[in-house]
Structure formats: structure tokens, C-alpha cells
Amino acid sequence: MRSTLRWVAGLAAVLAMTGCGSTAGGEPAREPAGTPAETRTAGAPAPGDPAALVGLWEVTGAEGEEAGAILRLADLRLSIWRDCGVLDGGWRADPAGLFLGGVSSWNGSCDLAPDPQPAWLARVSGYRVTGTHRLLLDAEGATVARLVPGKRPAPRNDIADSESAPPVVTAELRAALAAPAPLPAGLRAATAAELARRWVPAAADDSDRPDAPFAQLRTDGTWTGSDGCNGTGGRWIAGAGGALLVLGGVQTAIGCDNVRVGGWLSDASRAGFAGDRLVLLDRTGAEVARLRAG
């Protein structure tokens, strides 16, 4: 198990995930542009198997990243190894080329408060496999970082050696990264522009809670929400055919008769509309939840 990590103080630290800066990297590959949260079109070529992202990678060409930093992509967990310590978070990807990564905690002597999110990682919304390298791409299809194999993090006394070992692609991980089932007949694929608003559960509910459950998806690729008593948030990205990837972050843990709106988002792999109702579906095509604009 990972040693004690200092969790980000306050929800704002998880949500401030966008960064500025010019494109870095040496491969100016371009693909059709979309909104910040939607980067692939139906005609864009598939970049490769997302399971090929699993591994230990030296991060090169990423503006602002320390030289020699190593990115470990494992069982939907992401870690960035620097001289000062290790940043920890999660990642998602799909065969259509969407990629979403986020950092929510760190250890060691890194001074990352109030926001540990690397600006370059916040810009990444896609990937491509090219030979032995992996390219992380921005919304315009330009290279943000090149991932180079062959380097392993140095052991640390405060982290178990297994946390720096080369990760393995298990059957469970391969299933989690597989293409989701298409939208069922009768649903229209949701676009990023349509998703970027405030959503509440579609079913009427008169339960007594401190707050109303909701999820606010923003055009910058971040989201905030509440289950009725606990605040939460993270990052999201949408693609062609209603494809949807969502990462959650730190949240409070107040007990109440809550509605797991954030969990619905994290479970969803596609989003479509039935009239004015937003329908979230999991990887198998099963319905997760229905929401309405609110």
C-alpha cells in the first residue's frame, strides 16, 4: 500500500485543472479540433489500443515538467515520479483516442498546494501510439508530451517497491479500457457543448438533505457537484458517438440520504438524449441514470 499521502486541502484544489502555455513536443500531428472537452470526430483514425498506455514512461517535451520525471500508468491509477516525491491520481482512455488524467494527492517534499495538477497534464485530451513511444495530445491534436519507455523510478523509503514496479495489463484492466457498447436505438448522442451545463436527477425527490444533488459540467473540462451533503468534482471529456470519460476527485464524507450523482458520472461510458433527458450508460450499454437540466 502507498504510504500516507497529503490530500489536497479543499475542493478547489481538485478542480483548478486547466493550464496555459504553448504546445510542447516535437510531433505536430493534427486532428480535427473540437471544444476543449470534445476532441475526436467520427472520421478521425483510431490511435491504438489504450492498454498500450499501461507502463512506465519518461515524460519528455512537456512544458513545465521536471527533466527525468516518470509517468506510471497502471490499473486506472496514474502517478508522476519526481525528485521531490510522487504525485498520485487516476486516468481513463478509450480506443477512439480519448485520454483523461488527473492528480489529486502527493507525498514527499513537493510543494504543490493548493493545486497539484500539472498544467501540461490538464491540457491532454487524447493519445496516439507511435512505435515504442506514446504521444499525449491536446484538443487540437498537437503533442503535449512524448512518453518514452525504458526508465524505472528510483526506490523511495516512504513508498512500497510495488508502486514503482512495471504495471501489468490484467484481463480486468483490458475490459475497463475496451470500447463501450454503442448507444441503443432511440437515444441521440450527446455532444460536449450539450453536456456543459448543470444537471440534476430526473426523478422527483422530496428527501431531506442539506443541499440539492447536482453536477455542473464546465466547458473547460472540469466539473463540480454534490450528492446532497458532500461536495465533489473532477474532470471530464466527451467524444464522438456520445463517448464520455469522467474522473472524480477528493470529496467530503458526510453521511446522509445521498444521491450518488458523481458516481453516476464516473460509471458512465456514453451519454445520450431521450428527448430532453440526459441518459448515462455504462460500458455494457446498461442505463446508469437519467438527469435533466437544472
Side-chain angles (χ1 to χ4, degrees), residues 35 37 188 190-201 213-226 236 238 244 261 265 271 273 275-278 280 291-294:
T35 66
R188 177 179 62 82
T191 67
E194 293 173 309
L195 290 171
R197 61 182 307 168
R198 191 177 192 271
W199 299 97
V200 299
F214 77 96
Q216 174 76 57
L217 277 64
R218 298 191 175 92
T219 57
D220 65 1
T222 65
W223 68 275
T224 57
S226 172
W236 70 283
L244 179 65
V261 178
L265 288 172
F273 283 103
D276 63 352
R277 293 299 190 255
L278 175 63
L280 301 178
L291 302 99
R292 59 178 175 84

Side-chain angles (χ1 to χ4, degrees), residues 15-22 63 115 117-124 220 222 235:
L15 305 175
M17 293 192 174
T18 55
C20 301
S22 58
E63 184 175 4
D115 177 20
Q117 182 74 9
W120 67 266
L121 184 60
R123 292 173 50 214
V124 175
D220 65 1
T222 65
R235 299 193 66 217

Side-chain angles (χ1 to χ4, degrees), residues 38-96:
E38 185 170 41
T39 63
R40 294 293 184 274
T41 64
D49 179 4
L53 293 165
V54 175
L56 293 170
W57 309 99
E58 183 176 1
V59 180
T60 66
E63 184 175 4
E65 186 53 78
E66 131 182 335
I70 298 174
L71 173 65
R72 185 178 189 264
L73 298 176
D75 51 353
L76 302 184
R77 286 181 57 199
L78 171 155
S79 57
I80 300 174
W81 294 67
R82 295 175 175 171
D83 289 341
C84 64
V86 181
L87 287 63
D88 194 73
W91 68 285
R92 301 289 186 274
D94 71 9

Side-chain angles (χ1 to χ4, degrees), residues 72-251:
R72 185 178 189 264
L73 298 176
D75 51 353
L76 302 184
R77 286 181 57 199
L78 171 155
S79 57
I80 300 174
W81 294 67
R82 295 175 175 171
D83 289 341
C84 64
V86 181
L87 287 63
D88 194 73
W91 68 285
R92 301 289 186 274
D94 71 9
L98 295 179
F99 180 95
L100 189 63
V103 168
S104 56
S105 61
W106 73 93
N107 80 341
S109 61
C110 301
D111 183 13
L112 303 175
D115 177 20
Q117 182 74 9
W120 67 266
L121 184 60
R123 292 173 50 214
V124 175
S125 57
Y127 74 95
R128 190 168 77 242
V129 175
T130 173
T132 60
H133 294 183
R134 309 293 181 259
L135 304 182
L136 298 182
L137 311 173
D138 67 12
E140 298 296 326
T143 300
V144 175
R146 180 182 291 270
L147 308 182
V148 180
K151 193 171 181 180
R152 180 170 176 169
R156 292 181 58 90
N157 293 332
D158 55 349
I159 294 180
D161 289 344
S162 59
E163 295 293 301
S164 62
V168 176
V169 179
T170 63
E172 292 77 13
L173 178 56
R174 192 171 290 281
L177 295 173
L183 286 175
L187 291 185
R188 177 179 62 82
T191 67
E194 293 173 309
L195 290 171
R197 61 182 307 168
R198 191 177 192 271
W199 299 97
V200 299
D205 184 1
D206 58 359
S207 298
D208 183 20
R209 302 185 186 89
D211 302 300
F214 77 96
Q216 174 76 57
L217 277 64
R218 298 191 175 92
T219 57
D220 65 1
T222 65
W223 68 275
T224 57
S226 172
D227 64 4
C229 3
N230 299 285
T232 186
R235 299 193 66 217
W236 70 283
I237 190 171
L244 179 65
L245 300 178
V246 179
L247 278 175
V250 178
Q251 73 171 49

Side-chain angles (χ1 to χ4, degrees), residues 240-275:
L244 179 65
L245 300 178
V246 179
L247 278 175
V250 178
Q251 73 171 49
T252 54
I254 301 171
C256 76
D257 184 19
N258 60 355
V259 178
R260 55 184 303 268
V261 178
W264 294 345
L265 288 172
S266 296
D267 291 344
S269 293
R270 289 200 190 273
F273 283 103

